[in-house]
């Protein structure tokens, strides 16, 4: 429990960029090495006025990070969700097709279209779903490379007629496009150690 609290404090400390940033503050979340998967860290921009959470709400719903604006309601709408997992499928395209298959199996009347992304640091593919329940889901899958042992996704649900849909999708696109991977090495030794992430 002490480690978890220290980790959250460290994330908050590392989450603020020095100086003014028109895109808001930075945010970082990471995981320690696990078997064949090296330690990893994902960094991105936190939109102005949004809140990051790694250790309370995110943990409660089984994800790595959530970004949200205003008060946490527990509802999925307008919440950006980051998931990181050990890569198992053969390619990023396979991840996208598997997700599309499962979505359209659950909602045969749903529609799927490409959500264009341009991440300079890693390959990302986006899909925007339009559900028969009048909810839209946008999902971005990213592959930081074979050696990392992981893949990741960002996702967000919106009401189909959300009046802020265009601006929310623009913020989502920015968060995905600014996402970068770093290798994480736990340099902690006792209580006086340090935590270091390196490219």
């Amino acid at each position: 429990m002490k480690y978890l609290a220290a980790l959250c404090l460290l994330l908050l400390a590392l989450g603020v960029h020095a100086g003014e940033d028109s895109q808001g503050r930075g945010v970082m979340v990471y995981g320690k090495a696990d078997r064949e998967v090296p330690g990893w860290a994902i960094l991105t921009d936190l939109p102005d006025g949004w809140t990051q959470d790694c250790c309370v709400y995110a943990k409660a719903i089984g994800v790595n990070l959530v970004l949200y604006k205003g008060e946490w309601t527990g509802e999925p709408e307008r919440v950006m969700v980051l998931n990181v997992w050990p890569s198992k499928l053969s390619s990023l395209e396979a991840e996208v097709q598997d997700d599309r298959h499962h979505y359209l199996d659950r909602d045969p009347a749903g529609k799927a279209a490409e959500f264009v992304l341009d991440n300079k640091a890693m390959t990302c593919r986006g899909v925007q779903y339009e559900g028969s329940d009048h909810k839209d889901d946008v999902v971005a899958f990213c592959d930081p490379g074979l050696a990392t042992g992981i893949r990741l996704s960002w996702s967000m649900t919106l009401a189909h007629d959300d009046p802020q849909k265009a601006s929310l999708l623009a913020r989502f696109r920015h968060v995905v496009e600014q996402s970068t991977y770093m290798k994480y090495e736990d340099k902690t030794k006792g209580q006086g150690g340090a935590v270091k992430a390196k490219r």
Side-chain angles (χ1 to χ4, degrees):
M1 193 68 184
K2 286 183 180 178
Y3 177 77
L4 185 60
L7 178 61
C8 283
L9 287 173
L10 177 66
L11 287 174
L12 290 173
L14 291 174
V16 182
H17 285 162
E20 295 298 318
D21 182 349
S22 63
Q23 295 299 333
R25 297 170 291 148
V27 59
M28 179 179 84
V29 66
Y30 54 87
K32 297 172 85 172
D34 183 17
R35 297 178 186 163
E36 286 80 39
V37 178
W40 53 266
I42 305 299
L43 296 81
T44 192
D45 287 343
L46 180 67
D48 285 328
W50 287 58
T51 300
Q52 60 168 308
D53 174 83
C54 67
C55 306
V56 180
Y57 306 126
K59 186 176 180 184
I61 61 174
V63 301
N64 299 99
L65 182 71
V66 291
L67 308 180
Y68 60 95
K69 190 172 184 178
E71 296 296 320
W72 177 261
T73 65
E75 297 297 321
E77 286 188 34
R78 296 185 174 190
V79 177
M80 298 185 202
V81 176
L82 173 67
N83 274 300
V84 181
W85 65 93
S87 55
K88 293 178 183 176
L89 296 181
S90 60
S91 66
L92 188 63
E93 182 61 26
E95 299 280 6
V96 173
Q97 292 306 321
D98 184 64
D99 187 71
R100 183 191 297 253
H101 175 76
H102 282 96
Y103 184 92
L104 295 176
D105 265 2
R106 289 192 308 269
D107 186 358
K111 299 176 182 177
E114 182 181 9
F115 185 77
V116 178
L117 295 163
D118 184 21
N119 184 312
K120 305 295 186 189
M122 56 185 157
T123 304
C124 295
R125 289 278 315 278
V127 182
Q128 186 169 347
Y129 298 106
E130 185 179 318
S132 60
D133 60 355
H134 305 292
K135 303 285 186 188
D136 288 0
D137 293 288
V138 59
V139 186
F141 291 92
C142 298
D143 186 354
L146 184 63
T148 68
I150 64 164
R151 292 206 177 102
L152 61 111
S153 69
W154 283 100
S155 60
M156 182 172 62
T157 299
L158 297 169
H160 184 66
D161 58 355
D162 190 319
Q164 296 182 41
K165 186 174 174 180
S167 63
L168 286 164
L169 288 175
R171 286 187 181 93
F172 179 83
R173 177 177 279 111
H174 180 81
V175 165
V176 176
E177 291 182 343
Q178 295 304 308
S179 294
T180 58
Y181 165 88
M182 295 180 78
K183 186 176 180 181
Y184 168 76
E185 289 185 358
D186 186 357
K187 297 291 186 182
T188 305
K189 293 181 180 178
Q191 295 193 3
V195 178
K196 180 182 179 183
K198 69 175 186 179
R199 292 188 186 278

